[in-house]
Amino acid sequence: MPLRWQEVAVPLVVVVSLIVLKYVPFTSGLPLARAAGVVAFGYAAFLALRLVQSEEAVSVDGWSELRPSMVEYFACYGAAALAVVLMSAIIVIGGSRHVEPTQMIATFIASLLLGGGAVAIGLGGLFTRVRWNNTQLEHRSAFGRETKLAWSDVRSVRPNWRGVTIATHDARRVTFSQFHSGAAQLAKHATNRARRNTEASAKAFATL
């Protein structure tokens, strides 16, 4: 699956920002070089898993179904594990006089961000269900909310920061992660359906 430009730009911006902050007096005492190394290692792992991500959905009882990919499992559980490690370090060495308050604050913020990211990935990717057949698309969120879209109602398919959004003429929409196995197949299918619906509407309008 081809990479989106955001998947390349974001890690590069993070690494460059960490390197620049290394030379800022206020943050020069933080282990930013190690953080940049962790980001680089994580991005290398992300690329390896992204390139082997399956573009085909799983067929189950006449339905095509998206499944979480190794990228999402790695990001979710990796971020959660790193957040636990950082928080444990804060608890263990938090009372040491040799640790600067700036380092403790930065570590605490990093652990919160990683924990929040793990929860967001889990709710938005690992614990959702997206499937479709020839007539409709079904989406079930992590909280059990179901959304059903008829293919005949689909009008647009657009990528965004959350993934890919399929919308209907009456403003109903379903958003799924581009990191799901089978996401490319669903995006292509939805795009074809939206184009056909638009062409059919244009022809019907022309005959009036």
Side-chain angles (χ1 to χ4, degrees):
M1 172 179 287
L3 297 175
R4 298 167 64 181
W5 68 268
Q6 296 93 334
E7 299 173 31
V8 178
V10 171
L12 291 178
V13 170
V14 172
V15 171
V16 171
S17 300
L18 291 173
I19 294 175
V20 171
L21 289 174
K22 184 66 179 177
Y23 297 96
V24 176
F26 181 73
T27 57
S28 59
L30 299 176
L32 298 177
R34 294 181 182 178
V38 171
V39 173
F41 171 79
Y43 185 58
F46 165 81
L47 283 179
L49 295 174
R50 186 78 165 95
L51 293 175
V52 299
Q53 178 180 332
S54 174
E55 296 189 9
E56 299 296 324
V58 177
S59 296
V60 180
D61 297 330
W63 292 80
S64 296
E65 187 172 331
L66 299 185
R67 294 291 173 85
S69 67
M70 290 303 298
V71 170
E72 292 171 303
Y73 283 114
F74 171 78
C76 182
Y77 295 122
L82 191 54
V84 171
V85 170
L86 292 179
M87 193 62 70
S88 300
I90 293 174
I91 296 173
V92 172
I93 65 176
S96 175
R97 296 181 180 179
H98 303 289
V99 180
E100 296 181 4
T102 305
Q103 293 182 352
M104 294 298 299
I105 294 173
T107 304
F108 180 73
I109 293 175
S111 65
L112 290 181
L113 291 176
L114 288 168
V119 172
I121 294 170
L123 294 179
L126 300 187
F127 305 115
T128 60
R129 183 183 184 186
V130 181
R131 65 175 189 168
W132 72 97
N133 57 19
N134 293 328
T135 59
Q136 66 180 2
L137 168 70
E138 293 184 357
H139 175 276
R140 175 178 291 180
S141 70
F143 300 104
R145 179 182 178 183
E146 289 189 1
T147 303
K148 297 181 180 181
L149 307 181
W151 286 122
S152 58
D153 294 333
V154 171
R155 289 295 178 269
S156 64
V157 181
R158 293 177 183 151
N160 53 53
W161 65 273
R162 293 176 56 198
V164 180
T165 297
I166 301 173
T168 64
H169 61 86
D170 57 354
R172 290 179 297 125
R173 61 188 59 197
V174 163
T175 299
F176 61 93
S177 170
Q178 72 271 20
F179 301 123
H180 279 331
S181 295
Q185 180 183 353
L186 176 55
K188 183 178 180 180
H189 181 77
T191 300
N192 291 334
R193 288 282 188 163
R195 186 180 69 252
R196 279 192 232 162
N197 292 340
T198 301
E199 292 173 353
S201 297
K203 289 180 180 178
F205 180 78
T207 57
L208 294 179

